[in-house]
Amino acid sequence: MTRAIPVKNPFAPAALAAALLATTGNVAFAVVADADASRDASAKLPVVNFDTIEVTPLNGGAQPRNAIAAPVQTASGDDLRNSNAIDLTEFLNRKFSGVYFNESQGNPLQPDVNYRGYTASPLLGTPQGLSVYMDGVRLNQPFGDVVSWDLIPRSAIAGITLIPGSNPLFGLNTLGGALSLETKSGRTDPGTTVELGYGAHARGTADIQSGGVDGAWDWYLNAHYFTDGGWREYSPTDQGQFFGKLGWHDEGSDFELSYAYVKDSLIGNGLQDMRLLAQDYNSVYTIPDRTKNQSHYLNLEGRHAFSDALSVAGNVYYRKIDTRTQNGDLNDDSIGESVYQPSAAERAALTAAGYSGFPASGATAANTPFPKWRCIANVLLNSEPNEKCNGIDTTTRTHQHNYGVNLQLDWNAEFGGNRNAFLVGGGYDADRIRYAQSARFGYLAANRSVVLVDGPGAYADGSQNSENAFDSRVDLRSRAHTWSAFFSDTLTLADVWNLTISGRYNRQTVITRDLLDPDGGIDSLNGNDTYRRFNPAAGLTWSPSAAFNAYIGYNEGSRAPSAVELGCANENNPCRLPNAMAGDPPLAQVVTRTLEAGLRGTLWDSTHWNVNIHRAENKNDILFVAAPDAPGAGFFQNFPKTRREGFDLGFDSRASAWSYGAQYSYVKATYQAYGLFPGDGNSTNSFAAMDPAFRGLAGGTITVSPGDRMPLIPKQTFKAFVGYDFGETLSLNLDFRASGGVYARGNENNAHQPDGTYYLGPGKTAGYGVFDLGINYKPTPKLTFFAQIDNLLDREYYTAAQLGATGFDANGSFHARPFPKVAGAPGDENYPVPRTTFFAPGAPRLIWTGIKYRF
């Protein structure tokens, strides 16, 4: 494998000069046309230049692109197919301006997708800021607003629309943008197509889709299977998807009933210690980290036109999602403990239980790199397994039932040569949730997997005879009801001006019942919270000609706290982890206000350009902050204000057989108030600042000041593409994506500096640039061969980082108490622990090929 040289500055003057011509208004790239398609100039235009955009999740409220005061990005299902991307998120990362990938989970189907500094993540506890819809159904799950990207049927996608900003028409959680997806039908995709693929690390795909029309009826079926051995150790993936749709249409009505089923097993072993990555780029920190999803989705959508001017659209849906996770982790509490030599009482317990082979004396870190005997003995004695066991295995079970109905009336009228488009609607969404969590102690094996131990002290339930005993159990039921009403009115004057006024009122009630503490004590999760708000929006566009458009827009959106955040929001009763819950006071909802303006247009009928500036401010942002009197713990709190501001530039064009373009995005995401954050891994934390002798101790905090940059959000991203068609049978597509470095979690004050002893790694990642190459060969109109090479130059790079304690040395052996005891240490800990930087490595060069045949 080629060792990568990180790109220190992928935004050198030459690259910036090209980027200054760029835009985010259109996403364009090489398209392989069918052999029987016209090859004239009009066929060369980017297929993503959609004429109209749906301005709500439901179909029926479409507006011309130039009437929308935002740089909307669109793509078709054919674009997704021809890109050879394995799923929707990889396609967005390659092609959509301002979209950035965090591979924190380490699985190709479980990324954090970021746009303009806002996130849609499958990880529970991550503050979510993007809403995702499919055929009018909100895919953000009720519990935590998470987005499981693996549940979206990749091959059934017909259209993709990304609308930026806090657009209130897309409901709760639309802080930074809304992603709306449309699925295929028998009328849009008739015929049968089979696709097979295979590549590096035993990656395999099989896909079959078939659609047809019979009079007023049409049908579409898709079955998809994906398997991947994983380029990292112990990281296989298996996924099965099914999607079907039955439609009925007449002159004025359209009804479609769709069903989706997904079952998968995803292993993504997360971030890795930088020193262990230097030894082996494929390595993982601890194992396993498994997610199993099973999902059912049922949606009935319809539209009826009473006349050319008046129509109604709506849907009724039901979703059922069952999720199970298992996370084998290092127990950080054991790093500062004596975990090697069993005591006399522990040896007696081991003997009584039938164990043998344990040391009678002399066990140390030097001769016992993976200790286990003290762990086993303390589980048997129910004494201090929370301190003497260096492994902990956490399991969760989540059952979600989500259903709702939405209705929308559209009315279009003309008067005096002007047009008015008015829509009004409402919706009701309800959910039922059951969530349970438990943890079990064990010890780490040589491959850093957690080996579980049986005995009275096996579970982390607070019963251990130790001052640091903790209870990780959660068992709750939750139900929520959300009522909403919305409207939008667009007035078009003289075919030049478009003025839009819109708004949405949301009222959400969340009721939670703690099954472990139903009487409502201090630790009870019982709660009854109601959130309500009206969010307005306004936009103005100006089109003096068909080739030029200017716009300015303002919108507001809001997000109610999730049950995860409400369950860990008490400064006097903090949580050790964001997903460990306790009884807490309510949080205020997040309110985002976005202002943006831009220009866009067309040159020479084949070149599209756009420039945009934007600023979004979050009031009462919900962030995980440090508990001053509880080292290593924290709680979710409303942070007064955060800000994301920047600009986008880009262009795309087509000339003869060539297609090309570039996009540049600048986002400055900052805190706009003072705050206290956990700082164990930060060299400038309060303990280290108090006395250099206290470096490496647990419990230190850091202070964030206005202007400090938020972690995991790159300031600059750049994307470019070039494609070439060799006649009608062969095409090549080369994509380039580059990103500036991001600050690590734990370095929110942007001040961390490694000292090489107690603090071992940097406080941010380096910038990087990656090339991807796609080849499509079509010897006949029905047959296509394809090959894809991601990370063509085999660069090693990192998409995310976090500061934290490590229990391993540079060779991967466990090492407790590596530093001597510190006299007079603050807090409960007096043994320093080495702190390092954990990186999320990007995938190395991956090659796969396949064949598609259309009957």
Side-chain angles (χ1 to χ4, degrees), residues 18 26 99 145 182 185 237 295 331 339 341 484 606 646 653 688 774 789:
N26 298 298
V99 175
D145 284 321
E182 292 184 45
S185 70
T237 293
S295 168
N331 177 17
V339 298
Q341 178 56 54
S484 62
S606 61
S653 188
I789 307 175

Side-chain angles (χ1 to χ4, degrees), residues 345-363:
E346 291 166 350
R347 294 196 298 271
L350 291 168
T351 300
Y355 288 97
S356 61
F358 47 83
S361 63

Side-chain angles (χ1 to χ4, degrees), residues 75-231:
S76 69
D78 287 341
D79 300 334
L80 174 58
R81 181 195 66 192
N82 292 330
S83 73
N84 301 326
I86 64 167
D87 75 338
L88 171 66
T89 62
E90 182 179 329
F91 175 77
L92 294 173
N93 189 40
R94 282 198 218 153
K95 304 296 185 181
F96 273 44
S97 177
V99 175
Y100 173 75
F101 235 46
N102 285 336
E103 298 178 80
S104 299
Q105 294 295 95
N107 185 283
L109 303 182
Q110 291 179 294
D112 290 349
V113 175
N114 298 276
Y115 176 60
R116 288 189 176 181
Y118 293 92
T119 303
S121 168
L123 184 62
L124 196 63
T126 300
Q128 310 285 337
L130 302 175
S131 59
V132 182
Y133 288 85
M134 185 170 74
D135 292 337
V137 177
R138 188 171 184 264
L139 298 186
N140 298 74
Q141 295 174 25
F143 193 54
D145 284 321
V146 301
V147 178
S148 294
W149 298 103
D150 54 295
L151 302 184
I152 298 175
R154 176 257 194 196
S155 299
I157 294 174
I160 305 165
T161 303
L162 177 59
I163 299 179
S166 45
N167 189 322
L169 294 178
F170 285 84
L172 293 173
N173 206 62
T174 308
L175 305 184
L179 181 68
S180 185
L181 309 174
E182 292 184 45
T183 58
K184 298 175 181 178
S185 70
R187 293 185 182 273
T188 62
D189 287 84
T192 300
T193 302
V194 176
E195 177 181 334
L196 298 173
Y198 189 79
H201 309 289
R203 171 176 290 183
T205 61
D207 187 276
I208 182 170
Q209 53 185 319
S210 181
V213 181
D214 186 3
W217 295 91
D218 67 271
W219 67 91
Y220 174 81
L221 300 173
N222 174 257
H224 177 77
Y225 177 71
F226 175 81
T227 183
D228 189 351
W231 66 269

Side-chain angles (χ1 to χ4, degrees), residues 612-636:
N612 167 271
I613 59 173
H614 54 85
R615 169 181 280 194
E617 290 192 343
N618 282 18
K619 181 182 178 182
N620 290 324
D621 214 348
I622 300 175
L623 304 175
F624 191 69
V625 299
D629 299 321
F635 58 98
F636 286 102

Side-chain angles (χ1 to χ4, degrees), residues 18 22 66 98 120 144 169 207 253 278 324 341 346 396 419 514 525 535 550 571 623 639 651 684 733 795 799 822 840:
N66 283 351
L169 294 178
D207 187 276
S253 300
R324 293 175 178 265
Q341 178 56 54
E346 291 166 350
T396 69
R419 296 189 305 275
D514 191 334
L525 293 170
N535 293 312
E571 179 178 3
L623 304 175
F639 193 86
F651 82 100
T684 65
N733 307 293
R795 298 297 189 189
T799 62
V822 177

Side-chain angles (χ1 to χ4, degrees), residues 551-628:
Y551 60 87
I552 184 170
Y554 172 81
N555 44 64
E556 296 185 8
S558 59
R559 178 173 79 86
S562 68
V564 176
E565 293 159 338
L566 289 169
C568 183
N570 192 340
E571 179 178 3
N572 298 316
N573 195 18
C575 309
R576 295 179 58 83
L577 295 171
N579 62 344
M581 301 181 189
D584 307 291
L587 294 167
Q589 60 184 325
V590 184
V591 176
T592 302
R593 296 174 172 88
T594 304
L595 178 66
E596 61 184 304
L599 306 172
R600 57 194 168 196
T602 303
L603 298 173
W604 310 297
D605 295 329
S606 61
T607 299
H608 305 270
W609 61 270
N610 179 281
V611 57
N612 167 271
I613 59 173
H614 54 85
R615 169 181 280 194
E617 290 192 343
N618 282 18
K619 181 182 178 182
N620 290 324
D621 214 348
I622 300 175
L623 304 175
F624 191 69
V625 299

Side-chain angles (χ1 to χ4, degrees), residues 251-515:
E251 185 175 350
S253 300
D254 300 276
F255 292 94
E256 294 181 322
L257 177 65
S258 55
Y259 170 75
Y261 174 75
V262 179
K263 185 176 183 180
D264 54 33
S265 176
L266 316 176
I267 297 183
N269 289 304
L271 283 70
Q272 171 64 301
D273 185 331
M274 52 169 278
R275 299 169 302 158
L276 303 184
L277 280 174
Q279 296 286 336
D280 182 359
Y281 190 71
N282 301 330
S283 65
V284 298
Y285 192 63
T286 56
I287 57 175
D289 192 339
R290 178 182 294 109
T291 299
K292 291 186 176 182
N293 282 320
Q294 183 168 302
S295 168
H296 297 268
Y297 163 104
L298 187 66
N299 182 36
L300 173 63
E301 55 182 333
R303 184 175 182 271
H304 176 72
F306 299 100
S307 66
D308 291 340
L310 184 65
S311 65
V312 63
N315 74 328
V316 181
Y317 72 91
Y318 171 77
R319 298 176 72 205
K320 180 178 182 290
I321 303 173
D322 294 327
T323 301
R324 293 175 178 265
T325 70
Q326 180 188 11
N327 297 299
D329 297 310
L330 172 69
N331 177 17
D332 288 351
D333 287 354
S334 69
I335 306 175
E337 299 292 333
S338 175
V339 298
Y340 298 102
Q341 178 56 54
S343 66
E346 291 166 350
R347 294 196 298 271
L350 291 168
T351 300
Y355 288 97
S356 61
F358 47 83
S361 63
T364 65
N367 57 33
T368 312
F370 289 95
K372 66 178 185 179
W373 295 112
R374 293 207 75 184
C375 172
I376 298 173
N378 276 269
V379 168
L380 293 171
L381 295 170
N382 194 20
S383 179
E384 297 178 338
N386 51 289
E387 296 178 352
K388 302 303 186 290
C389 290
N390 61 5
I392 187 166
D393 187 84
T394 303
T395 59
T396 69
R397 301 184 306 278
T398 310
H399 304 287
Q400 302 180 77
H401 298 264
N402 182 212
Y403 53 91
V405 57
N406 299 279
L407 195 64
Q408 174 180 302
L409 184 70
D410 300 282
W411 177 57
N412 296 276
E414 292 194 16
F415 55 93
N418 300 313
R419 296 189 305 275
N420 189 76
F422 177 76
L423 66 85
V424 63
Y428 171 74
D429 300 275
D431 59 74
R432 299 290 186 271
I433 300 168
R434 176 72 184 273
Y435 177 80
Q437 174 181 292
S438 63
R440 188 171 173 181
F441 294 112
Y443 58 86
L444 295 175
N447 65 350
R448 296 192 290 277
S449 64
V450 177
V451 180
L452 300 177
V453 180
D454 292 322
Y459 289 90
D461 57 8
S463 67
Q464 291 78 40
N465 182 24
S466 171
E467 62 181 359
N468 293 320
F470 56 89
D471 189 351
S472 69
R473 295 174 301 161
V474 178
D475 193 356
L476 64 84
R477 294 182 188 271
S478 176
R479 66 180 188 270
H481 304 271
T482 303
W483 294 91
S484 62
F486 58 89
F487 78 94
S488 177
D489 189 75
T490 299
L491 177 63
T492 301
L493 300 174
D495 288 326
V496 174
W497 297 93
N498 292 279
L499 174 64
T500 300
I501 304 294
S502 60
R504 185 179 186 120
Y505 174 80
N506 303 294
R507 185 182 188 276
Q508 183 179 50
T509 299
V510 181
I511 301 171
T512 306
R513 291 295 176 260
D514 191 334
L515 303 184

Side-chain angles (χ1 to χ4, degrees), residues 8-21:
K8 296 295 184 183
N9 182 12
F11 309 102
L16 281 174
L20 288 175
L21 300 174

